[in-house]
Amino acid sequence: NGKVTRGRLGVMVQQLSPELAKSFGLPEETKGAVIAQIEANGPAASSGLKPGDIITAVNGEKIKSFSDVPRLISFTKPGTRIELTVLRDKKEISIPVTIGSSTESAHAAKGSDSDDSQGAVKQESQGRLGVTVRPLTAKEAKRAGTSGLLIAQAEGAAAKAGIRPGDIIVSVNGTPVKTNGDLSKALKGRKQIALLIQRNKSRIFVPVELQAR
């Protein structure tokens, strides 16, 4: 019938820039695609892949640009089992994934941009990062489809990196953060970090150089 069914992995990837590589504690020349988001119920969801994993090869073919990943996957027949070479915590691992079909529907959660009126939700400043954050309320977390910390104010290092009020910090270098304590702990002893930020349902890793105390 002439119909072409393309393969699908069910992840959102971004370029591993030299700054981002450095934030993950890797050499700046490291090449790959960083997984920023994994589609719920997609092919990658049950494979053990995690946000923050860096895909360096697909079936042994090295990834030079993040756009190589969707290109290689789209030419793979759905149902095919492939091997992804991934960097996680600076270690190289191999993860097998069964490719899905691009005709499978991906349901996005409906969101609203209206703000809840906030009562006594405690905000805390993280000086080295330059943000004032607070935990998401249950209602906000449900609407955003994630847990994390809502940024109330951004200045200094965070503002310089392009982070802005309303962004949600989901994780630091792959470690989920839900409380101010989680964030303080994740920042301790670090000079550079990779923040996983959610903004309007999209996620992206942002490299941030922390301010000296």
Side-chain angles (χ1 to χ4, degrees):
N1 60 6
K3 182 186 171 191
V4 177
T5 306
R6 293 186 177 275
R8 187 173 67 88
L9 187 55
V11 296
M12 277 182 64
V13 293
Q14 70 182 91
Q15 185 71 32
L16 182 68
S17 65
E19 296 79 17
L20 204 47
K22 200 173 162 189
S23 299
F24 278 112
L26 297 166
E28 290 186 29
E29 62 275 12
T30 307
K31 296 275 189 286
V34 187
I35 297 177
Q37 200 165 349
I38 294 176
E39 189 185 293
N41 306 318
S46 59
S47 69
L49 285 167
K50 297 179 180 179
D53 284 348
I54 299 161
I55 302 171
T56 58
V58 175
N59 275 349
E61 187 165 339
K62 292 199 182 303
I63 300 301
K64 294 184 177 71
S65 166
F66 77 104
S67 58
D68 291 343
V69 175
R71 178 179 61 79
L72 290 168
I73 299 300
S74 70
F75 290 121
T76 305
K77 192 177 175 186
T80 305
R81 196 172 166 88
I82 62 161
E83 289 284 333
L84 294 181
T85 306
V86 162
L87 282 170
R88 179 184 295 170
D89 298 328
K90 298 190 269 192
K91 294 186 182 77
E92 192 174 271
I93 56 174
S94 186
I95 296 182
V97 187
T98 301
I99 296 301
S101 162
S102 62
T103 56
E104 292 165 3
S105 62
H107 296 288
K110 277 180 84 174
S112 146
D113 289 331
S114 63
D115 285 329
D116 295 336
S117 56
Q118 291 308 323
V121 179
K122 192 181 179 191
Q123 293 188 355
E124 274 189 37
S125 175
Q126 297 283 350
R128 292 179 66 219
L129 183 54
V131 294
T132 302
V133 296
R134 64 167 177 78
L136 293 173
T137 63
K139 193 174 176 183
E140 287 169 336
K142 188 178 178 184
R143 193 171 64 211
T146 187
S147 57
L149 292 168
L150 183 70
I151 296 176
Q153 286 178 292
E155 53 192 24
K160 193 176 169 186
I163 291 163
R164 51 191 198 231
D167 287 349
I168 298 166
I169 301 175
V170 179
S171 71
V172 178
N173 284 64
T175 302
V177 289
K178 297 179 184 178
T179 66
N180 294 303
D182 290 345
L183 184 55
S184 296
K185 193 176 170 185
L187 299 181
K188 200 173 178 182
R190 291 185 185 272
K191 291 180 181 176
Q192 292 105 6
I193 54 166
L195 282 186
L196 181 56
I197 295 293
Q198 179 162 312
R199 180 183 295 164
N200 301 330
K201 296 284 182 184
S202 292
R203 291 186 181 186
I204 188 169
F205 275 99
V206 179
V208 183
E209 191 136 351
L210 297 173
Q211 295 165 176
R213 284 198 179 279

